């Protein structure tokens, strides 16, 4: 007892019992000197970095000598023994390596330790962790530990919850990219862990690298399990389906890694005895067909199956009355479901908020006899479902936020009831047969309007209001004419404007140059005309990364003034090997932007615009004059196409500074002089076309130049040297043999798709791509190798391939 206690007992002797109680309880709060010292020592090993951590943010700041440690932030003590029993240092700006002699390990009575959301700089998890023999809760989710889990982790046999996930959590609007697989759990450790954790209820191992683990070992998991999270674990083989008989299992999530999903699990055809509420499976095979017995899981709220299922969607889905989220996209479900069954099945799901059936072989009717409503619906995704009309049942779903009906055969006009959807943020009707005028009444709440590849005509009608929140307007490939509406400047959040392949007749919209967020501006294949000049001083187009003005009637000099000010193109951000995609994610359900690009005469639709992607296309206009030197400042450019203009003068040597350039086309101009040797430093270059100019002299040799063939240079009578047969000394030498071009295109990096947080955050997205090694190429697509085609196959595999034609 401390002095204070003694004093209080003496002072209030008359009220002895009352005093005793007071004295006793005050003594209970004093933590031991040793534990206080251990904590303070721990604090000094992680000095706070105030350039990244706001003041008064870190809990350890309140840790001061002389104050009862039980009252420190993040510290909890046992109110009988005074021992520190819980430590919550989550998201606490702890940054630095975690020492294996850390004084934290002296807190032998710890029952709960939360170190999530810190940065331990890829430290190994110290084996000393096994000293916490009483630990019930351990959370090191996303704390940047790395390496193999120490075998000793299996000693923590009292654990009730264990979270070793190293996936990023993401806020609804931010794109977060992380590296996966830093933490490795090998097979013996896993086996011991599974055997020894007899009381574990929640086990979260998502993002942990389990390449070497045999899934068989999961068979011995404790039957007390309520949550098992095994997403993106790089596991291969057959996962024991006894998991579906675990009597307490409510949440089960399983996926291999993308591109290499060699993981299977056989769904039981009967006797699912788990009270499952959330089921997420994204694996190669769950046994061909989705069994009718899925309808027995009456408590299911969230069902996400990505298993290559064939056959029909079982009607028993209609029994899942609690279901709020149904995701069956990217399977091979087939056939028309008989209309009445279809209506019965879906109309029963009155709690449904999100329904994703995209990219199967389905022929949905939805429209015929669909006289029902699903009042709570927020997100509908029926891409590639053979729909011929708008689904009638969403007509009265007034909470709709996202409606994606792309790649169907829907014809006719956009129905007027769309205008009544006050909460609609994403409307994607791209790749249909819609026609007529675009209604002027579209909800203002819209962030994304994608009407690409339809037959809309007339003017772009919108009077975009003052507080327009539009971020992506895609009208590519319609029959729109008239002018670009000047009210677009009201859309201060606009990131992507694509009106390519229409018949718009206008001058260059320099009035868009003040839009602070505009990153992608595509005006290609229209009737834009006149010169391209800035009216303002900088900043003009401060964030622009993709400018496509090709195939218009622009004339005059290249837009020098703009090129001097394209800040975003001068910044080689994102060249570090990690990739981020542009997307919006209202309510956590993300929508990835797409973009049509032209390569070697073919159009390709990129599903997903990399934030590191940057290109300028000015081909097929009447630009004249010289290529300005300043172009060499646009160092993040990956593609540059100035072909089919009337450009004169020399190729500026400064082009050699564009070291990220993968694609350069200056063909069919009037360029003269030598090919500058500086271009040899373009080590990323895969495509070079300098044909049909007046270039002369020796073709530079070395690096990528050893890989280009005759076609890159033809139509320049004055050029000589390899690969041309014309040698520079006048003696014909045969072209040498070239490296197999495929080599260059081979992508050395691994791809993993994230989209989930440490905890159970359900964004139904597959948006975050992570590249651990090697360099990203600009050409990333989730579609397969054919020009502008339906992307079903590739979406499934999510393999990233360069496309060659
Ligand atoms: C603090 O953080 C900044 C920004 O990440 C970093 O540049 C700096 O080196 C850090 N300081 C220390 C002492 O770690
Ligand atoms: C200890 O604290 C917990 C929660 O703070 C409380 O529920 C419990 O009754 C307390 N025990 C004693 C012995 O005071
Ligand atoms: C650890 O802290 C994070 C962030 O505060 C929280 O989300 C998480 O639930 C905590 N973990 C446990 C096991 O309580
Ligand atoms: C931990 O070990 C390092 C050297 O490896 C030493 O500098 C440090 O003082 C030790 N810390 C404690 C608390 O013993
Ligand atoms: C299982 O846990 C007990 C108690 O902590 C420990 O003694 C034993 O070594 C553990 N077994 C394995 C294989 O780690
Ligand atoms: C997973 O770990 C293995 C070694 O066990 C390693 O070869 C592999 O590259 C790791 N995977 C990832 C994605 O880091
Ligand atoms: C499961 O546990 C039993 C009993 O401890 C053991 O005999 C068996 O080998 C274990 N199976 C696996 C796959 O680890
Ligand atoms: C998938 O795994 C099985 C065995 O587990 C193996 O035979 C097969 O070759 C693997 N397939 C691929 C594509 O890796
Ligand atoms: C649709 O349902 C409403 C009420 O649920 C009913 O009044 C109406 O007649 C139905 N219409 C058709 C075409 O079945
Ligand atoms: C190209 O890079 C060199 C060396 O880094 C530099 O001196 C030159 O100014 C650059 N040219 C342009 C146009 O940026
Ligand atoms: C190209 O420019 C030259 C002058 O620089 C002009 O004489 C010629 O007519 C132009 N060609 C075309 C096709 O515009
Ligand atoms: C880690 O998982 C546990 C158990 O499911 C959970 O309580 C905790 O919130 C998770 N931590 C974070 C940071 O999400």
């Amino acid at each position: 007892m401390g002095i204070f206690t003694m004093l209080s007992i003496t002072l209030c002797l008359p009220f002895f019992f009352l005093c005793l109680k007071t004295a006793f309880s005050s003594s209970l709060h004093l933590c031991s000197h040793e534990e206080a010292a251990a904590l303070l020592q721990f604090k000094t090993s992680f000095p706070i970095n105030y350039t990244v951590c706001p003041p008064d943010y870190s809990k350890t700041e309140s840790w001061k000598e002389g104050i009862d440690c039980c009252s420190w932030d993040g510290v909890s003590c046992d109110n009988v023994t005074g021992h520190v029993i819980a430590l919550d240092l989550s998201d606490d700006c702890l940054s630095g390596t975690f020492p294996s002699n850390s004084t934290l390990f002296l807190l032998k009575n710890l029952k709960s330790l939360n170190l999530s959301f810190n940065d331990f700089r890829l430290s190994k998890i110290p084996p000393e962790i096994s000293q916490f023999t009483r630990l019930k809760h351990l959370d090191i989710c996303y704390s940047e530990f790395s390496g193999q889990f120490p075998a000793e982790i299996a000693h923590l046999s009292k654990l009730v919850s264990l979270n070793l996930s190293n996936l990023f959590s993401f806020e609804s609007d931010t794109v977060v990219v992380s590296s996966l697989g830093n933490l490795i759990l090998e097979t013996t450790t896993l086996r011991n862990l599974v055997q020894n954790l007899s009381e574990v209820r929640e086990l979260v191992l998502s993002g942990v690298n389990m390449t070497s683990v045999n899934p068989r070992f999961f068979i011995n998991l404790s039957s007390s399990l309520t949550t098992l999270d095994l997403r993106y674990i790089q596991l291969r083989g057959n996962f024991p389906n006894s998991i579906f008989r675990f009597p307490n299992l409510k949440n089960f999530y399983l996926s291999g890694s993308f591109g290499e999903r060699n993981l299977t699990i056989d769904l039981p055809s009967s006797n699912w005895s788990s009270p499952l509420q959330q089921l997420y499976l994204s694996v190669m095979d769950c046994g061909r067909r989705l069994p009718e017995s899925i309808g027995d899981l009456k408590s299911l709220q969230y069902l996400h199956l990505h298993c290559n299922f064939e056959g029909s969607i079982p009607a028993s889905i209609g029994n899942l009355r609690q279901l709020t989220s149904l995701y069956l996209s990217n399977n091979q479900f087939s056939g028309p479901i008989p209309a009445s069954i279809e209506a019965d099945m879906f109309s029963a799901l009155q709690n449904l908020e999100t329904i994703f059936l995209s990219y199967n072989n389905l022929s949905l009717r939805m429209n015929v006899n669909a006289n029902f409503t699903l009042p709570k619906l927020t997100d509908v995704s029926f891409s590639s479902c053979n729909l011929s009309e708008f689904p009638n049942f969403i007509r009265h779903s007034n909470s709709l936020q996202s409606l994606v009906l792309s790649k169907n055969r829907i014809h006719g006009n956009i129905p007027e009831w769309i205008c009544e959807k006050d909460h609609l943020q994403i409307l994607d009707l791209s790749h249909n047969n819609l026609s007529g005028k675009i209604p002027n009444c579209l909800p203002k709440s819209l962030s994304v309007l994608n009407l690409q590849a339809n037959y809309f005509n007339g003017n772009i009608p919108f009077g975009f209001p003052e507080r327009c929140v539009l971020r992506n307007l895609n009208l590519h490939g319609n029959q729109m004419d008239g002018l670009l509406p000047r009210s677009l400047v009201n859309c201060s959040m606009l990131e992507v404007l694509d009106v390519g392949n229409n018949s718009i007749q206008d001058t260059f919209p320099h009035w868009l140059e003040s839009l602070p967020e505009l990153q992608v501006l595509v005006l290609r294949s229209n009737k834009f005309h006149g010169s391209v000049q800035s009216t303002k001083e900088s900043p003009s187009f401060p964030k622009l990364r993709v400018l496509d003005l090709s195939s218009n009637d622009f004339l005059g000099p290249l837009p020098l003034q703009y090129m001097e000010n394209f800040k975003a193109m001068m910044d080689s951000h994102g060249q570090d090997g990690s990739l981020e995609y542009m997307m919006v994610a209202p309510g956590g359900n993300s929508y990835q932007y797409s973009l049509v690009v032209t390569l070697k005469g073919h159009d390709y639709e990129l599903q997903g615009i990399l934030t590191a992607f940057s290109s300028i296309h000015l081909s097929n206009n009447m630009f004249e004059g010289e290529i300005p030197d300043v172009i060499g400042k646009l160092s993040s450019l990956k593609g540059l196409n100035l072909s089919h203009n009337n450009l004169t003068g020399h190729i500026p040597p400064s082009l050699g500074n564009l070291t990220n350039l993968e694609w350069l086309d200056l063909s069919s101009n009037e360029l003269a002089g030598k090919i500058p040797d500086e271009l040899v430093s373009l080590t990323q270059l895969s495509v070079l076309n300098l044909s049909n100019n007046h270039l002369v002299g020796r073709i530079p040799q070395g690096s990528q130049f050893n890989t280009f063939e005759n076609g890159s240079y033809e139509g320049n009578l004055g050029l000589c040297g390899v690969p041309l047969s014309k040698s520079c000394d006048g003696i014909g030498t045969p072209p040498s043999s070239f490296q197999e071009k495929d080599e260059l295109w081979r992508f050395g990096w691994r791809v993993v798709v994230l989209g989930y947080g440490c905890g159970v955050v359900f964004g139904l997205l597959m948006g975050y791509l992570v590249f651990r090694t090697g360099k990203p190429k600009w050409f990333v697509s989730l579609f397969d190798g054919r020009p502008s085609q339906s992307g079903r196959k590739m979406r499934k595999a999510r393999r990233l391939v360069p496309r060659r034609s």
Side-chain angles (χ1 to χ4, degrees):
M1 272 191 228
I3 289 183
F4 175 71
T5 316
M6 299 298 274
L7 204 62
S8 27
I9 292 177
T10 324
L11 284 181
C12 39
L13 212 53
F15 313 97
F16 181 75
F17 287 106
L18 187 66
C19 287
L20 191 63
K21 193 163 177 243
T22 314
F24 206 70
S25 59
S26 64
S27 78
L28 298 175
H29 281 99
L30 285 179
C31 81
S32 75
H33 174 71
E34 290 77 18
E35 295 193 338
L39 286 169
L40 286 170
Q41 177 72 33
F42 175 79
K43 173 183 170 169
T44 58
S45 59
F46 290 98
I48 297 165
N49 183 342
Y50 286 102
T51 55
V52 288
C53 189
D56 295 328
Y57 188 86
S58 170
K59 284 166 243 180
T60 54
E61 276 177 276
S62 75
W63 295 8
K64 304 248 163 61
E65 218 167 344
I67 302 176
D68 178 8
C69 86
C70 297
S71 68
W72 293 351
D73 274 359
V75 180
S76 311
C77 298
D78 184 302
N79 43 12
V80 176
T81 64
H83 287 306
V84 175
I85 52 167
L87 205 50
D88 177 1
L89 294 174
S90 61
D91 189 14
D92 206 42
C93 302
L94 302 180
S95 172
T97 48
F98 200 96
S100 64
N101 61 358
S102 172
T103 50
L104 215 55
F105 297 121
L106 299 174
L107 304 172
K108 299 271 189 270
N109 292 289
L110 221 49
K111 288 188 183 153
S112 171
L113 177 61
N114 194 342
L115 295 174
S116 61
F117 302 111
N118 287 295
D119 181 4
F120 295 118
R121 307 269 176 88
L122 304 181
S123 318
K124 298 252 183 311
I125 297 173
E128 284 76 6
I129 197 148
S130 63
Q131 294 173 18
F132 295 131
T133 50
R134 300 192 172 141
L135 210 58
K136 291 189 159 183
H137 305 278
L138 176 61
D139 191 345
I140 58 164
C141 172
Y142 189 57
S143 49
E144 295 281 323
F145 280 109
S146 75
Q148 284 200 3
F149 280 98
E152 288 81 357
I153 196 152
H155 294 189
L156 303 176
S157 56
K158 298 256 171 19
L159 281 176
V160 170
S161 80
L162 176 61
N163 192 338
L164 305 178
S165 162
N166 68 350
L167 294 193
F168 256 38
S169 176
F170 69 98
E171 304 295 324
S172 60
D173 248 330
T174 42
V175 177
V176 193
V177 181
S178 170
S179 50
L180 281 188
N182 280 334
L183 276 169
I184 299 170
L185 193 52
E186 46 102 81
T187 205
T188 339
T189 311
L190 178 88
R191 196 181 55 201
N192 293 339
L193 196 68
V194 159
Q195 299 265 350
N196 233 7
L197 267 51
S198 54
E199 291 161 40
V200 72
R201 291 202 288 264
E202 294 172 90
L203 189 55
V204 181
L205 302 176
S206 51
V208 171
N209 183 346
M210 296 193 201
T211 314
S212 73
V213 167
N214 187 332
R216 192 162 68 85
F217 292 128
F218 281 98
I219 206 161
N220 277 341
L221 274 170
S222 157
S223 63
S224 347
L225 216 59
T226 61
T227 295
L228 180 60
D229 186 345
L230 299 174
R231 282 172 291 176
Y232 309 111
I233 50 171
Q234 287 130 36
L235 193 66
R236 291 176 214 184
N238 189 261
F239 197 92
N241 71 353
S242 53
I243 193 75
F244 297 117
R245 309 226 162 80
F246 276 39
N248 302 304
L249 193 70
K250 292 198 172 119
N251 310 302
F252 178 45
Y253 320 99
L254 176 70
S255 70
S257 61
F258 261 101
E260 199 191 90
R261 296 179 304 121
N262 201 354
L263 178 63
T264 60
I265 184 167
D266 301 316
L267 297 190
S269 54
S270 59
N271 290 342
W272 302 69
S273 42
S274 303
L276 278 170
Q277 294 175 356
Q278 318 234 15
L279 177 60
Y280 170 97
L281 297 174
S282 181
V283 298
M284 198 166 70
D285 190 353
C286 305
R288 285 291 174 80
R289 282 170 177 267
L290 179 57
E292 280 285 340
S293 59
I294 192 80
D296 298 346
L297 295 174
K298 296 281 193 311
S299 317
L300 264 192
Q301 294 164 9
Y302 175 89
L303 180 61
H304 180 128
L305 300 174
H306 178 200
C307 294
N308 288 326
F309 281 122
E310 296 169 0
S312 50
I313 297 177
S316 62
I317 291 273
N319 298 344
L320 305 176
R321 303 292 163 98
Q322 307 297 319
L323 211 60
T324 58
S325 180
L326 176 63
Y327 179 103
L328 299 176
S329 290
N330 297 296
N331 283 285
Q332 294 171 46
F333 284 117
S334 61
I337 308 170
S340 61
I341 294 183
E342 188 180 274
D344 287 350
M345 183 161 114
F346 293 111
S347 62
L349 304 177
Q350 287 291 308
N351 287 307
L352 214 57
E353 292 167 18
T354 61
I355 176 167
F356 284 65
L357 299 178
S358 297
Y359 302 109
N360 282 289
N361 303 323
L362 290 170
S363 293
L364 291 185
R365 309 200 190 185
M366 289 304 185
N367 34 354
V368 189
N369 292 340
N371 188 18
F372 64 91
T373 68
L374 298 177
K376 298 184 183 166
L377 268 190
T378 58
D379 296 85
V380 174
S381 179
F382 292 161
S383 286
S384 209
C385 285
N386 262 313
L387 280 171
S388 55
E389 288 174 44
F390 276 86
N392 196 45
F393 74 95
I394 51 178
R395 217 184 148 132
H396 301 291
S397 305
N398 292 326
S399 311
L400 208 62
Q401 291 176 12
S402 161
L403 178 61
V404 177
L405 301 175
S406 59
K407 305 194 175 75
N408 282 294
R409 321 178 262 121
I410 306 176
H411 53 83
N413 297 343
I414 296 183
E416 276 170 18
W417 51 257
I418 290 275
C419 294
E420 289 150 26
K421 305 281 171 242
D422 295 335
H423 304 285
L424 198 62
Q425 297 178 32
I426 294 173
L427 180 60
D428 182 349
L429 306 176
S430 61
H431 300 278
N432 276 292
N433 301 329
L434 292 164
S435 56
K437 308 235 184 298
I438 299 170
N440 208 356
C441 62
L442 289 173
K444 296 309 170 233
S445 57
L446 272 190
S447 288
V448 173
L449 178 60
N450 188 348
L451 303 179
Q452 186 188 342
N454 279 288
Y455 299 95
F456 291 111
N457 58 31
N459 291 341
I460 303 174
F462 315 102
F464 295 93
E466 292 259 316
R467 266 172 291 159
C468 162
V469 292
L470 205 61
R471 290 167 61 166
N472 183 344
L473 177 60
N474 190 339
L475 303 176
H476 196 105
N478 280 284
Q479 297 162 2
M480 315 292 302
D481 51 29
L483 301 171
L484 272 188
R486 298 311 191 250
S487 57
L488 268 173
V489 284
N490 290 335
C491 306
S492 59
M493 295 157 94
L494 199 66
E495 294 168 346
V496 175
L497 176 62
D498 186 345
V499 296
N501 280 319
N502 280 286
S503 303
I504 297 169
Q505 286 202 29
D506 204 339
T507 53
F508 181 77
H510 56 80
W511 40 272
L512 290 174
E513 69 193 25
S514 59
L515 286 181
E517 302 296 333
L518 194 65
Q519 298 179 43
V520 176
L521 177 61
V522 178
L523 307 179
R524 59 181 286 198
S525 300
N526 276 288
K527 296 175 182 161
F528 283 95
H529 50 85
S531 63
V532 181
Q533 275 173 25
S534 171
T535 51
K536 292 211 308 192
E537 303 279 291
S538 57
S540 49
F541 296 114
K543 287 204 179 160
L544 201 68
R545 298 182 291 107
V546 175
L547 176 65
D548 188 346
L549 307 182
S550 53
S551 304
N552 278 290
D553 300 323
F554 288 119
L555 47 75
L558 290 177
L560 171 70
Q561 217 178 337
Y562 282 129
M563 285 176 180
E564 281 173 335
N565 283 295
F566 287 149
K567 289 271 180 306
M569 299 194 207
M570 294 174 195
D571 163 18
S572 304
H573 148 89
Q575 313 292 338
D576 58 357
S578 61
L579 298 185
E580 297 173 14
Y581 279 83
M582 288 180 78
M583 59 171 71
V584 288
N589 289 336
S590 81
Y591 175 88
Q592 211 168 300
Y593 297 173
S594 66
L595 177 70
V596 177
V597 299
T598 310
L599 177 61
K600 291 185 166 177
H602 288 290
D603 285 357
Y604 300 95
E605 185 172 334
L606 299 184
Q607 283 295 302
I609 308 178
L610 286 171
T611 56
F613 179 75
S614 142
S615 66
I616 292 183
H617 311 251
L618 304 177
S619 58
N620 281 305
N621 280 287
M622 293 179 291
F623 286 114
E624 58 189 20
E626 302 199 355
I627 302 174
D629 251 357
V630 67
I631 210 159
K633 285 212 284 188
L634 306 180
S635 59
S636 72
L637 278 187
K638 299 203 186 278
L640 178 63
N641 188 347
L642 305 178
S643 67
H644 297 273
N645 279 292
N646 193 6
L647 300 175
T648 52
H650 295 227
I651 297 176
S654 71
L655 277 186
N657 284 12
L658 303 182
T659 49
N660 289 301
L661 212 58
E662 294 176 25
W663 176 39
L664 176 62
D665 190 347
L666 304 176
S667 65
S668 300
N669 278 292
E670 308 288 328
L671 297 170
K674 286 193 60 184
I675 301 174
D677 283 331
E678 283 80 356
L679 298 198
V680 174
S681 40
L682 303 181
T683 52
Q684 304 288 315
L685 207 58
S686 309
V687 178
L688 174 72
N689 192 350
L690 302 176
S691 63
N692 299 314
N693 279 290
H694 310 295
L695 300 169
V696 295
R698 182 188 291 273
I699 292 172
Q701 299 298 310
S703 120
Q704 294 304 90
F705 275 81
N706 295 346
T707 69
F708 303 126
E709 296 171 25
N710 288 6
S712 295
Y713 309 107
E714 68 194 8
N716 290 283
L717 296 178
L719 282 179
C720 63
V722 178
L724 303 178
S725 49
K726 183 177 165 194
S727 93
C728 294
D729 51 15
I731 305 158
T733 43
S736 59
S737 66
F738 300 110
Q739 204 178 332
E740 178 52 44
K741 230 174 170 193
D742 288 22
E743 281 297 312
L744 293 167
W745 282 99
R746 191 168 298 151
F747 285 53
W749 22 267
R750 298 182 44 84
V751 182
V752 189
V753 181
L754 304 186
Y756 296 89
C758 298
V760 182
V761 183
F762 288 117
L764 293 173
L765 79 156
M766 293 293 156
Y768 304 141
L769 300 190
V770 178
F771 298 77
R772 299 206 62 225
T773 57
K775 290 209 174 79
K777 294 278 178 175
W778 67 274
F779 206 98
V780 174
S781 166
L782 302 176
F783 276 33
D784 67 4
R786 283 156 293 161
S788 289
Q789 283 217 357
S790 145
R792 232 200 77 238
K793 221 160 108 201
M794 257 341 255
R795 273 187 169 250
K796 218 173 286 169
R798 297 270 164 185
R799 198 157 290 146
L800 304 183
V801 288
R803 232 150 1 169
R804 272 167 292 153
S805 40

